[in-house]
Amino acid sequence: MMSTINTSACTTEPSLQKSELVEKEEKEHYDDVAEAEAEADDSEKADNEEMRRQMGELPTLAFLPQHRRQLLRLLDKLLSFHQWVDAARVISLLLQSSPTGTLTEIQLRRLFMAMCEIEKRLGDAADFHDEVKRRLGEYIEQMISPSMNATAKLELANFYFSQGEYQEAYGEVKKAQMAWSHENLAQDTHGKGNPFMNLTLGMICYKLWYKNAIPEDMKIQRSDVIGSAWEERGIFDSDLEAGFEGPSVFLARGLDTRLLPIKLRPMYEDIEICIQKYRQLADNNVYEEGVQCLRNALHSSPPKSASLDALEPLIQLLLLGDRVTDAGAELVKACFQFDYSAIPFGLRARFVECFAPKEVDTISSCYQAALKIDATCSSYVEGLIKIHGNRNTSNEHSIMVLLEMIPRHIDAMVPSGDLVGLVGRDCVGREVKTIVWEELASCFLTVSNYFQGRIMSEILSERIVRATWKTRFRWWKEKHFRETSLFSQATISEQACIAGSSNTESTLPLLPGDDELLARKAACACHLYGPSDEYVVEALNLLNIRGNNDDISFLEMHMQSALNFCGSVGSH
């Protein structure tokens, strides 16, 4: 009996173990299936979330710091290669994946400047404009310090200004001004504010007023940049002497668009009525704010770079409002305040030329002061030539002024090599103008014919002036009158052009107008070094080959009365 029970128990135990095993395997199978289904669900959910993030429905996951640094380096490379569209995508990804506080102020500034540059390049074409405006407003609020916040808002205002969105720029610069005033109230003892903000706000007000107050037919277009605002307005000498009280832009001659960027309408009615109607355009709060802000920027203490930048737009705005007296007073003060810059002297010279053309001494002194600071500006030399060039033979003062200022200008210039490719193409645009060489040759000719004894003795009597001219002779001979065979150089160039050769980099042919320049330079050379100088002889040969009789006659006239300045100075 006992053995039967034991046998039965032994038989039942393996079957139970087998059943448990089957159940365990089935459970593991179901668990695996459930886990696989869960993983599939998670994967599908992740794919859906990623798709929604790409579509902008969900925020992008934050990057790790090292990933942000890598993207910033990538952004710099894309910008350096002008890959604007790809750079825009990198910026969008960085901003979307960087929660508040994760980007430093320096990194935010880098992104801001990059976004501004991309916006200038792409504009609305790449659908980047709206995103830039939205993102800039968001991240500026992340600025830690108020001063940084004010700087960012000022840059944002400049960005809107560059895009022609003057109303939005006005709003941002006012916010920047408030933020700066709150931070620097104690330091702003004069109550004039930050000069850079004043300059920005002044320029924005200027553009806003010009855009909204000036009629379309009076606005300057790109094709009108060079020219006179005074031309073809129906003004006669009788109008200029009509006795209207106070100076007016309507009574100025030759007022160019750099001073008055507007096209004045022809006057078909009484001049006084026209002037009064025009002055009403400046009866505007935005105009007054612009003038005040530019004045504050100009007269900031101590002067900043924004101070000098404010001068020209302030003069333009004052003249646009027909405040001629105020503009003249500002220019006089600017010449004392910025005596290290040629800009105020040049502007004042042009201003006096237009409104007081009989004050020749003032105009001349302004151009001379400007040239002593910036001798490379050809417009200053041309202004002096315009004043002193139309002289009679007894005006020694004009001769002395030109003999001092024109050589100073030539000293500062680097020859372009356009004439026959003497020094290479990298200096193109720095050649002394033909009119300058012609006037210098005319001065030498006048001295030779009328004042050789008095003027030469005056120059040679001063040791420093004499030493300067000796150095100048060597410098000009090397840079402007090189001992290179002009004849053979030009002959090779012409032969290459006739043969259709493309290898003419070092042998440039004379272009139309170069004969005149060559003749004037050679005339100066013959007065400096004598008519037998190699440069003069070969220039004459070249002109004879080209058959330009007028230029040949000009050069031969100067060769017959050559001053030989170098020989006179060398003998002392």
Side-chain angles (χ1 to χ4, degrees):
M1 183 79 177
M2 211 46 197
S3 62
T4 304
I5 294 172
N6 290 339
T7 304
S8 176
C10 291
T11 307
T12 305
E13 186 175 348
S15 63
L16 287 174
Q17 291 177 352
K18 184 177 181 181
S19 175
E20 289 174 357
L21 223 88
V22 171
E23 288 178 0
K24 185 177 180 181
E25 289 177 354
E26 289 178 352
K27 183 178 180 182
E28 290 178 353
H29 173 71
Y30 288 130
D31 289 342
D32 292 340
V33 171
E35 186 176 351
E37 290 177 350
E39 289 178 356
D41 291 341
D42 291 341
S43 177
E44 184 178 357
K45 184 178 179 181
D47 291 340
N48 291 336
E49 287 183 355
E50 182 63 27
M51 186 177 298
R52 291 178 67 188
R53 285 193 183 94
Q54 293 177 2
M55 296 174 64
E57 297 179 4
L58 290 177
T60 307
L61 294 177
F63 283 136
L64 294 175
Q66 60 266 32
H67 296 152
R68 281 194 293 274
R69 287 193 294 270
Q70 291 173 357
L71 282 175
L72 286 169
R73 285 194 293 269
L74 175 61
L75 176 62
D76 290 337
K77 290 183 179 180
L78 292 173
L79 291 174
S80 65
F81 287 104
H82 295 181
Q83 301 295 323
W84 310 116
V85 176
D86 292 336
R89 293 170 181 159
V90 172
I91 292 176
S92 299
L93 187 60
L94 270 167
L95 291 175
Q96 292 171 6
S97 307
S98 302
T100 302
T102 55
L103 288 172
T104 66
E105 291 184 353
I106 295 177
Q107 290 173 337
L108 288 173
R109 184 182 177 86
R110 286 172 62 190
L111 289 180
F112 171 81
M113 300 306 295
M115 293 166 82
C116 290
E117 183 63 27
I118 292 170
E119 170 61 19
K120 291 177 185 177
R121 302 285 183 170
L122 300 182
D124 297 332
D127 198 22
F128 188 60
H129 184 73
D130 293 335
E131 182 181 358
V132 168
K133 292 167 65 175
R134 177 168 53 86
R135 293 290 179 185
L136 292 182
E138 290 176 359
Y139 90 73
I140 283 178
E141 301 304 325
Q142 302 180 25
M143 299 289 106
I144 299 171
S145 62
S147 59
M148 186 65 185
N149 189 283
T151 302
K153 289 184 182 297
L154 180 62
E155 290 176 346
L156 183 57
N158 280 313
F159 167 67
Y160 288 144
F161 179 82
S162 68
Q163 301 303 301
E165 299 179 15
Y166 303 129
Q167 200 62 53
E168 291 182 331
Y170 182 83
E172 290 298 330
V173 76
K174 294 296 276 188
K175 294 177 185 177
Q177 199 174 43
M178 291 177 61
W180 185 89
S181 299
H182 179 74
E183 182 75 9
N184 300 272
L185 187 60
Q187 290 83 358
D188 188 19
T189 56
H190 300 285
K192 292 184 178 180
N194 183 289
F196 296 98
M197 291 188 184
N198 279 323
L199 175 63
T200 303
L201 182 55
M203 289 300 301
I204 292 170
C205 291
Y206 177 176
K207 293 295 185 180
L208 266 178
W209 174 78
Y210 192 91
K211 178 181 179 181
N212 298 327
I214 301 297
E216 287 297 326
D217 63 321
M218 298 178 70
K219 293 178 181 177
I220 293 293
Q221 307 300 327
R222 288 188 177 182
S223 59
D224 304 317
V225 170
I226 300 176
S228 171
W230 191 87
E231 295 170 349
E232 299 179 0
R233 293 193 288 110
I235 292 182
F236 303 95
D237 290 337
S238 58
D239 296 318
L240 299 174
E241 299 171 0
F244 183 82
E245 293 184 3
S248 171
V249 294
F250 280 83
L251 307 179
R253 289 189 177 276
L255 193 58
D256 57 45
T257 53
R258 184 183 178 187
L259 290 174
L260 185 66
I262 199 173
K263 293 184 291 184
L264 295 175
R265 291 169 173 169
M267 294 188 298
Y268 302 112
E269 53 187 341
D270 183 75
I271 185 173
E272 187 169 352
I273 295 175
C274 289
I275 292 176
Q276 292 296 346
K277 285 184 177 179
Y278 176 74
R279 287 178 176 176
Q280 290 175 3
L281 296 175
D283 188 12
N284 185 289
N285 291 334
V286 177
Y287 175 88
E288 294 293 344
E289 185 177 11
V291 169
Q292 188 58 48
C293 288
L294 289 173
R295 270 191 173 135
N296 288 341
L298 180 65
H299 299 297
S300 60
S301 181
K304 306 288 186 181
S305 59
S307 303
L308 186 57
D309 292 340
L311 177 60
E312 187 170 327
L314 175 60
I315 299 304
Q316 289 179 354
L317 198 54
L318 289 171
L319 291 179
L320 283 168
D322 205 20
R323 300 183 181 183
V324 178
T325 303
D326 292 345
E330 291 292 350
L331 284 171
V332 171
K333 288 188 286 187
C335 288
F336 287 100
Q337 183 179 357
F338 306 104
D339 56 358
Y340 55 85
S341 172
I343 294 175
F345 293 101
L347 288 175
R348 189 183 176 208
R350 288 292 301 122
F351 178 86
V352 178
E353 276 184 319
C354 296
F355 291 99
K358 294 182 180 180
E359 296 184 15
V360 177
D361 291 341
T362 301
I363 300 170
S364 178
S365 62
C366 286
Y367 276 132
Q368 290 181 60
L371 270 172
K372 289 176 181 178
I373 299 170
D374 180 12
T376 63
C377 185
S378 59
S379 63
Y380 301 152
V381 182
E382 291 175 31
L384 276 177
I385 291 173
K386 182 180 177 182
I387 297 170
H388 296 288
N390 298 324
R391 59 188 178 274
N392 55 52
T393 55
S394 62
N395 194 338
E396 292 185 40
H397 173 70
S398 293
I399 296 288
M400 293 301 295
V401 168
L402 293 174
L403 281 179
E404 178 187 358
M405 291 297 144
I406 292 179
R408 184 187 293 267
H409 170 67
I410 297 175
D411 289 344
M413 301 298 283
V414 178
S416 67
D418 273 348
L419 188 58
V420 286
L422 297 180
V423 296
R425 294 180 179 271
D426 56 332
C427 298
V428 170
R430 300 299 305 277
E431 179 65 80
V432 179
K433 290 187 176 181
T434 302
I435 186 177
V436 178
W437 289 115
E438 182 175 3
E439 187 60 32
L440 181 59
S442 179
C443 288
F444 286 140
L445 185 63
T446 304
V447 170
S448 177
N449 291 335
Y450 300 99
F451 306 116
Q452 183 165 358
R454 291 197 299 272
I455 291 183
M456 290 299 293
S457 62
E458 185 175 343
I459 293 176
L460 298 177
S461 63
E462 297 185 24
R463 182 178 60 83
I464 296 177
V465 176
R466 189 169 63 251
T468 300
W469 273 105
K470 287 182 177 180
T471 304
R472 185 172 285 150
F473 292 144
R474 296 191 297 270
W475 171 257
W476 287 10
K477 189 66 176 174
E478 175 65 24
K479 297 300 180 183
H480 297 286
F481 310 110
R482 290 170 62 96
E483 295 179 358
T484 304
S485 176
L486 298 177
F487 175 76
S488 60
Q489 189 83 1
T491 302
I492 295 172
S493 300
E494 290 182 348
Q495 290 175 351
C497 289
I498 294 172
S501 173
S502 61
N503 186 22
T504 59
E505 292 184 1
S506 60
T507 56
L508 298 176
L510 292 177
L511 301 174
D514 285 346
D515 284 348
E516 184 180 5
L517 173 61
L518 178 59
R520 273 62 182 170
K521 288 185 67 175
C524 289
C526 80
H527 286 294
L528 292 170
Y529 308 107
S532 60
D533 181 73
E534 182 181 290
Y535 184 92
V536 179
V537 173
E538 293 186 353
L540 182 60
N541 291 337
L542 180 56
L543 291 173
N544 282 322
I545 289 175
R546 296 175 66 83
N548 194 321
N549 294 327
D550 291 339
D551 293 324
I552 293 171
S553 300
F554 178 87
L555 179 54
E556 288 179 340
M557 177 184 66
H558 284 267
M559 292 176 69
Q560 292 169 5
S561 302
L563 184 61
N564 194 7
F565 198 5
C566 182
S568 300
V569 173
S571 62
H572 283 72

